[in-house]
Amino acid sequence: MENHQLSSDNPMILEIRELLEKSRKNIAQQVNTELLTTYWNIGQIRSLSSKASSAQSMENSP
């Protein structure tokens, strides 16, 4: 039976660690992009709602 060392200097462990770190960074970037898009869309909705409300109040002014 082979003795596989799972020490931190094992090349296989280092490669796996790199893959996991890269995946975590990619996931964080995807989440940030999705949040940015969501908040931008919320801003658009609020802006359009505010403009519509403002236009409606101008129409109802004497």
Side-chain angles (χ1 to χ4, degrees), residues 11-21:
M12 181 182 67
I13 298 300
L14 293 173
E15 185 176 359
I16 291 170
R17 182 176 289 151
E18 284 180 28
L19 285 171
L20 290 170
E21 287 175 7

Side-chain angles (χ1 to χ4, degrees), residues 43-60:
Q44 285 292 101
I45 292 167
R46 292 185 66 192
S47 177
L48 292 173
S49 176
S50 177
K51 287 178 185 176
S53 179
S54 179
Q56 185 179 19
S57 68
M58 290 182 73
E59 289 175 1
N60 294 333

Side-chain angles (χ1 to χ4, degrees), residues 21-49:
E21 287 175 7
K22 184 177 178 180
S23 292
R24 285 184 188 120
K25 288 178 184 178
N26 287 340
I27 290 167
Q29 185 176 16
Q30 290 174 11
V31 167
N32 287 340
T33 299
E34 195 61 36
L35 285 172
L36 179 65
T37 301
T38 300
Y39 290 133
W40 189 87
N41 287 327
I42 290 169
Q44 285 292 101
I45 292 167
R46 292 185 66 192
S47 177
L48 292 173
S49 176

